[in-house]
Amino acid sequence: MSIRVKGASAVAGLLVMWVFLTGCGQTSSSPTAPSGSTPPTATNACGAVGGSAVSALAILNGTDCTASASPAVLVTLRDSRNVPIATCSGTIIAPRAVLTAAHCLAGASAVTIYVGSGDPVAATSFQASPGYKGTSDSSSLDVGVVLFGQDLAPTPIPILVGRDAKVGELAVIAGWGQNEHDAKGSLRAGTTNISSVGPITLQALYSPSSGGSGTCFGDSGGPILLSEGGTWSLAGVTSSFTGNSCATGTNSFTSVRNPDVSSFILSLVPNTARK
């Protein structure tokens, strides 16, 4: 299992070894944006990533979502021998581009995504941010872009570059990783609150008793979404969590508001939607 470490005792990376994709079903209606400090329901959390709720207890304390029309995709990594080495999550940000974590791309020779239960789509190229400095550097910009030679069907999610996240702000997190029952391989979403806003990293606290949701192995590269002008927008990319498991601790997300991160994304994907 690959992990990303933040600090001497932190377990991170949120990567899992190859898992079989479980198909997801129907298309859903448009998401409902949060109002004030009232958390969106589990269905709204799935709606933020273009799905509808299927069952409870996913991501960590989140909801299993349909995924056929979702821009939150499963990312699979293969080595030079074409052997599957890990899976991550990602977000479609333009018709032919997916944003994920840089540490997901490390050591990969080929990248494939699954959009819902459809056929796999192979990337034509992929690149980690030049500001990615490895797993132990707190200044590392943990984002990567994956490019494709064909349009991807789901509507892209815009990146949030017009304002900073706010401490206490309600957010939606999503990914294809592991839930509290070790189940993995389907799209899940949940809600959390921003606990810290830095120049590189957004953070959110998670504990099983907190009432919110958290990230786990396999959710790396997935989105944290904030509402802007009634639209769910991508504020950051899932990067790591603290502690020796994903049961409790601090979830960290690389902020797309960081000027070096947004410049990197737009240099490769100038048609990225923005908020």
Side-chain angles (χ1 to χ4, degrees), residues 29-249:
S29 58
S30 299
T32 301
S35 174
S37 59
T38 303
T41 65
T43 299
N44 283 345
C46 285
V49 288
S52 57
V54 176
S55 62
L57 297 178
I59 240 189
L60 291 176
N61 194 31
T63 301
D64 231 341
C65 307
T66 60
S68 58
S70 178
V73 298
L74 175 66
V75 181
T76 67
L77 299 312
R78 292 175 177 266
D79 65 15
S80 58
R81 299 168 298 165
N82 202 37
V83 175
I85 53 174
T87 66
C88 275
S89 302
T91 309
I92 298 172
I93 58 169
R96 298 188 178 192
V98 164
L99 189 66
T100 189
H103 75 263
C104 291
L105 304 177
S109 295
V111 178
T112 300
I113 67 162
Y114 290 82
V115 180
S117 57
D119 294 332
V121 183
T124 55
S125 64
F126 55 92
Q127 183 175 329
S129 166
Y132 177 62
K133 302 173 184 177
T135 59
S136 60
D137 192 323
S138 62
S139 67
S140 191
L141 304 181
D142 191 12
V143 294
V145 169
V146 185
L147 300 175
F148 298 86
Q150 65 187 72
D151 286 356
L152 306 170
T155 301
I157 287 184
I159 62 173
L160 183 58
V161 293
R163 71 166 176 90
D164 291 327
K166 301 169 187 156
V167 172
E169 185 171 5
L170 202 66
V172 169
I173 55 175
W176 290 79
Q178 180 176 307
N179 69 6
E180 54 265 59
H181 304 301
D182 297 333
K184 45 191 175 282
S186 61
L187 176 62
R188 302 174 176 99
T191 61
T192 189
N193 291 92
I194 302 293
S195 62
S196 174
V197 178
I200 295 175
T201 304
L202 308 178
Q203 293 184 328
L205 302 178
Y206 173 73
S207 69
S209 61
S210 67
S213 298
T215 58
C216 198
F217 300 107
D219 291 323
S220 275
I224 182 167
L225 306 173
L226 300 177
S227 182
E228 178 61 23
T231 299
W232 288 103
S233 302
L234 192 151
V237 175
T238 301
S239 178
S240 66
F241 57 81
T242 61
N244 59 4
S245 76
C246 47
T248 187

